[in-house]
Amino acid sequence: MTKGVMFDFSGTLFRVVSTAEWLAAFTAAGLGLPAHEQAELVHRLEEFGALPGGVPPRRIPPDIQQAWDTRDLTPELHRGAYTALTRAAAPPAGLDVDALYESHRAPASWRPYPDTAPVLRELRRRGVPVAVVSNIGWDLRPVFRAHGLDELVDSYVLSYEVGAQKPDPVIFETACAGLGLAPADVLMVGDDRTCDGGATALGCGFHPVEHLPVDRRPDALLPLLAGLPG
């Protein structure tokens, strides 16, 4: 029987704003680009996957590949990989690439899915402990606090703090130990069948969800409640 739940962050509990919104919010004063050039820049940023948690890169330059593969192990690697991808998108000279990267960490850049709060509250009501297990290079706790969800999470297991990325068993073992439960008693919920689904190697259950825009995925988490103690 499932006694605890591990959730992925991006694409599972929260979704980052679109690349166009990210760029527009950062450049509210304006880059001085015509509308069509702004749109072309958004397209290039998406081609290279420059927004963490956003559109996956369709093209990664060979000299960035290694940084990309290890990006979630340290804050420096994370920043280096994504700012390199932004530079690969050939932004205008007036765009501060490092400041643009920093802006994606703001709580306003992240939106919880419609069923995130109801499911987390119901798990807390049932006494089911929750861990957030994320491949990430920065502290996401302020995002949960800003959206009033931090009190519903028992522990955060973040790749850059553990020094291991999903699907490495170490990160799931750490999360299960933090919940005080055996892997067989823990369900992993996530949008990546390779990284998040890797928890099954330890004997955890797995509930997949789709990484969709917030307004297109209203009830993906609710079904998991049926299999949990009530």
Side-chain angles (χ1 to χ4, degrees), residues 3 9 11 19-21 23 31 54 56 65-67 89 95 99 109 114 129 135 198 212 217 228:
K3 299 177 181 178
F9 167 56
T19 306
E21 290 174 291
L23 183 63
L31 276 174
Q65 187 66 56
Q66 183 175 1
L95 182 68
S109 294
N135 282 352
L212 296 173
R217 209 205 69 186
L228 297 175

Side-chain angles (χ1 to χ4, degrees), residues 4 13 23 30 37 43 67 70-71 73 94 122 128 148 212 217 222 227:
L13 294 177
L23 183 63
E37 291 186 20
H43 176 77
T70 59
R71 66 193 180 281
L73 290 176
E122 179 60 17
V128 176
L212 296 173
R217 209 205 69 186
L222 291 174

Side-chain angles (χ1 to χ4, degrees), residues 2-66:
T2 297
K3 299 177 181 178
V5 183
M6 302 182 288
F7 287 98
D8 173 51
F9 167 56
S10 175
T12 300
L13 294 177
F14 282 79
R15 173 70 190 259
V16 74
V17 296
S18 70
T19 306
E21 290 174 291
W22 174 53
L23 183 63
F26 176 72
T27 60
L31 276 174
L33 295 177
H36 74 280
E37 291 186 20
Q38 184 98 351
E40 289 172 359
L41 176 56
V42 168
H43 176 77
R44 295 196 304 274
L45 289 169
E46 291 186 339
E47 179 181 4
F48 288 99
L51 171 59
V55 177
R58 296 188 290 271
R59 181 157 63 99
I60 300 176
D63 60 328
I64 302 175
Q65 187 66 56
Q66 183 175 1

Side-chain angles (χ1 to χ4, degrees), residues 140-186:
L140 52 72
R141 295 172 182 87
V143 175
F144 281 79
R145 286 197 292 269
H147 289 276
L149 299 173
D150 180 62
E151 64 182 14
L152 303 175
V153 177
D154 296 283
S155 67
Y156 296 89
V157 183
L158 311 181
S159 59
Y160 82 94
E161 294 179 336
V162 177
Q165 299 178 149
K166 295 179 289 186
D168 188 325
V170 169
I171 196 167
F172 300 115
E173 290 171 343
T174 301
C176 291
L179 294 176
L181 296 169
D185 294 327
V186 180

Side-chain angles (χ1 to χ4, degrees), residues 94-119:
L95 182 68
D96 187 331
V97 170
D98 286 293
L100 176 62
Y101 166 85
E102 192 66 27
S103 71
H104 94 276
R105 298 171 41 169
S109 294
W110 294 89
R111 297 166 183 165
Y113 283 99
D115 56 353
T116 292
V119 166

Side-chain angles (χ1 to χ4, degrees), residues 173-197:
E173 290 171 343
T174 301
C176 291
L179 294 176
L181 296 169
D185 294 327
V186 180
L187 177 69
M188 178 68 204
V189 182
D191 65 300
D192 190 316
R193 285 165 172 75
T194 298
C195 290
D196 300 317

